[in-house]
Amino acid sequence: MSPSSAGRAEKLGYTNIKVYHDGLPEWNKRNSMVISAQSLKEAFLDKDIPHVLVDVRPEAEAQKGFIKGAVTMPATEIAANITKFPLKDKKPPIIIYDQNSGNEAKSAARSLTAAGYTSVAIVTGGMDAWQKNGLPVQTGNLAKNIVYVPKLRSGEIPMDDFKKVAAAMPADALILDVRSREEGSAGMIKGAKLIPDEEILDRLAEIPKDKKIITYCSSGVRAEMAYHKLKEKGYAVQFVNAKVDIDKDGNYTIERP
């Protein structure tokens, strides 16, 4: 793997993946990445790393043998079904395979990159390479709906769990708003306590250690910084890794990045 390819792989989040140029040299130079069948298994499937795996062969052909977790979507249908893929902002790793030549996979990848997806990779050799490597094959019906759930960061609270706490405000939990005073004055989640991130270490006496602390801000950045400060001080704490918008009445919308 060349240094430029290695850097691009790391930038797109494909860690511990070998990128091969054989068979698709011009494609790799001008468009998406390529990944070997073995690397797909070891780096994504074995480690249960969230990704989108798409079998772009005709569905009837794919049913005869496919890779576990693959969604069926023929290459000719990709462009018309872009909205079925995860939002681009989530930067999902999308991995595409066909049979052998790579033509269907390249067509599908072009549609995705044209739509703005940046982490798109083609399996070199496709299903043929997968089978030649003796890797496990499934048969029957493939999934048709794409599901992509990014793994939580260390200390991150699942979105649904946060919403339940915010709705019930249990006595053993405290939601901590770590935005600025100006942001807080424009609207806060009902029941939350405002302590700006930069003031936390000076106001630890106001944060109970006998409660579960959940920090939030407008984007997740300051919430995570506050999480680390409180965790180092021995607090049971989690943070909201999401974009949070709050109106003056305390109503909020939340969207994971």
Side-chain angles (χ1 to χ4, degrees):
M1 180 167 65
S2 69
S4 60
S5 295
R8 183 150 52 123
E10 183 177 356
K11 182 178 180 181
L12 296 180
Y14 292 92
T15 54
N16 299 319
I17 294 177
K18 297 177 181 178
V19 179
Y20 292 86
H21 295 272
D22 295 343
L24 295 168
E26 289 304 315
W27 172 260
N28 194 56
K29 287 179 184 177
R30 296 181 300 172
N31 299 278
S32 301
M33 293 172 49
V34 291
I35 179 175
S36 72
Q38 190 66 38
S39 291
L40 166 60
K41 178 180 180 298
E42 294 175 356
F44 283 97
L45 304 186
D46 290 352
K47 295 182 180 179
D48 195 27
I49 299 298
H51 64 285
V52 175
L53 180 62
V54 187
D55 189 317
V56 297
R57 300 173 296 167
E59 184 176 356
E61 181 181 350
Q63 289 177 343
K64 297 175 184 177
F66 60 90
I67 301 170
K68 180 180 179 181
V71 173
T72 179
M73 188 178 292
T76 55
E77 300 177 11
I78 295 288
N81 287 283
I82 289 294
T83 57
K84 294 184 179 180
F85 285 82
L87 295 174
K88 296 188 291 292
D89 292 347
K90 296 181 182 295
K91 298 181 181 179
I94 302 175
I95 303 170
I96 300 168
Y97 71 91
D98 53 15
Q99 194 63 38
N100 181 30
S101 68
N103 290 330
E104 291 172 304
K106 284 187 284 187
S107 173
R110 286 192 187 100
S111 296
L112 287 162
T113 54
Y117 288 92
T118 56
S119 300
V120 181
I122 292 174
V123 179
T124 51
M127 196 64 196
D128 284 350
W130 184 269
Q131 291 174 309
K132 287 177 181 177
N133 277 274
L135 301 175
V137 174
Q138 296 191 334
T139 58
N141 294 325
L142 289 79
K144 295 186 177 181
N145 296 321
I146 295 174
V147 177
Y148 174 69
V149 181
K151 280 195 171 180
L152 299 179
R153 297 170 66 87
S154 177
E156 180 181 350
I157 185 171
M159 190 96 56
D160 288 343
D161 290 356
F162 173 71
K163 290 178 180 179
K164 290 177 183 177
V165 174
M169 285 296 178
D172 62 348
L174 172 66
I175 294 179
L176 196 61
D177 186 328
V178 299
R179 299 174 301 158
S180 68
R181 294 174 184 272
E182 291 75 17
E183 289 172 293
S185 64
M188 290 174 52
I189 292 176
K190 296 174 184 177
K193 181 179 180 64
L194 177 67
I195 299 182
D197 171 61
E198 64 271 16
E199 298 179 15
I200 282 179
L201 294 180
D202 294 326
R203 299 175 60 183
L204 290 176
E206 300 176 42
I207 305 174
K209 275 201 168 181
D210 60 348
K211 291 187 178 185
K212 176 181 178 180
I213 309 300
I214 302 170
T215 63
Y216 79 86
C217 63
S218 59
S219 66
V221 175
R222 286 171 290 176
E224 186 172 9
M225 292 169 62
Y227 157 78
H228 286 294
K229 291 175 183 176
L230 291 171
K231 187 172 179 61
E232 288 179 358
K233 297 299 182 180
Y235 285 85
V237 58
Q238 289 180 291
F239 74 97
V240 178
N241 181 27
K243 178 182 178 183
V244 183
D245 290 315
I246 312 163
D247 66 21
K248 58 182 178 59
D249 296 319
N251 301 308
Y252 72 94
T253 59
I254 184 169
E255 180 182 347
R256 197 179 192 282

